[in-house]
Amino acid sequence: MAAELREALERRLRDLGIATVTAEHPQVFTVEEMMPHVQHMKGAHSKNLFLKDKKKKGFWLVTVLHDRQVNLNELGKKLGVGSGNLRFADENAMLDKLRVGQGCATPLALFCDQGDVRLVLDAALLQGGHEKVYFHPMTNSATMGLSPDDFLKFVRSTGHEPIIVHFDEDIK
């Protein structure tokens, strides 16, 4: 399934006129495992958290700089769901909503979402002067880079408007 989804993603990016660079690497499940394979790729590497709101049962994909620590209580307050209400969603929910499994959470999977997932985006990914931003292309055995502007173009083409958070200022 991952190969077909990756092909569908690549086709969609081509149709949008978005150029990408991709590095193949061994399957990785954490940012720490990934970084030795992609540190030569200049730009902003990401970490992605797939969360659920325990009260409203909404889903959130939080995409931040790879080395950012995320305080879920503070983020919950900022997003208006309250402190203590954001939890990691289980793999079945991620497979259902984004069609990717553990270790593969990526905003590039938003083209599979039917409007159930809200994207929270670290402003530093977009405003850090990065030539490229990097994500998994539906598989955790590759990393794909695209320009920040093209990334936003892709996200908006999926019907998602990112919630941009300034983690350094808004969330301590």
Side-chain angles (χ1 to χ4, degrees), residues 62-64 68-71 75 120-123 165-172:
V62 179
T63 299
V64 297
R68 179 156 330 268
Q69 296 297 312
V70 178
N71 181 322
L75 180 59
V120 177
L121 197 54
D122 187 341
V165 175
H166 295 264
F167 279 85
D168 293 326
E169 301 161 21
D170 298 344
I171 298 179
K172 301 296 181 207

Side-chain angles (χ1 to χ4, degrees), residues 10-42:
E10 291 169 347
R11 191 168 42 254
R12 185 179 187 118
L13 291 167
R14 273 192 312 275
D15 290 348
L16 290 167
I18 294 175
T20 63
V21 296
T22 304
E24 307 295 328
H25 51 70
Q27 192 175 42
V28 294
F29 290 93
T30 66
V31 169
E32 292 76 20
E33 289 177 56
M34 177 186 70
M35 288 312 293
H37 303 289
V38 298
Q39 60 191 1
H40 66 281
M41 300 174 85
K42 300 300 180 210

Side-chain angles (χ1 to χ4, degrees), residues 100-153:
V100 293
Q102 181 183 4
C104 299
T106 174
L108 298 179
L110 288 171
F111 79 100
C112 296
D113 176 48
Q114 301 300 307
D116 298 322
V117 178
R118 286 172 276 184
L119 175 64
V120 177
L121 197 54
D122 187 341
L125 284 166
L126 303 176
Q127 300 167 355
H130 305 291
E131 182 179 327
K132 299 273 187 224
V133 289
Y134 294 95
F135 312 97
H136 287 315
M138 309 303 289
T139 174
N140 58 354
S141 61
T143 297
M144 178 181 281
L146 53 165
S147 76
D149 287 344
D150 280 345
F151 171 63
L152 279 179
K153 177 181 177 180

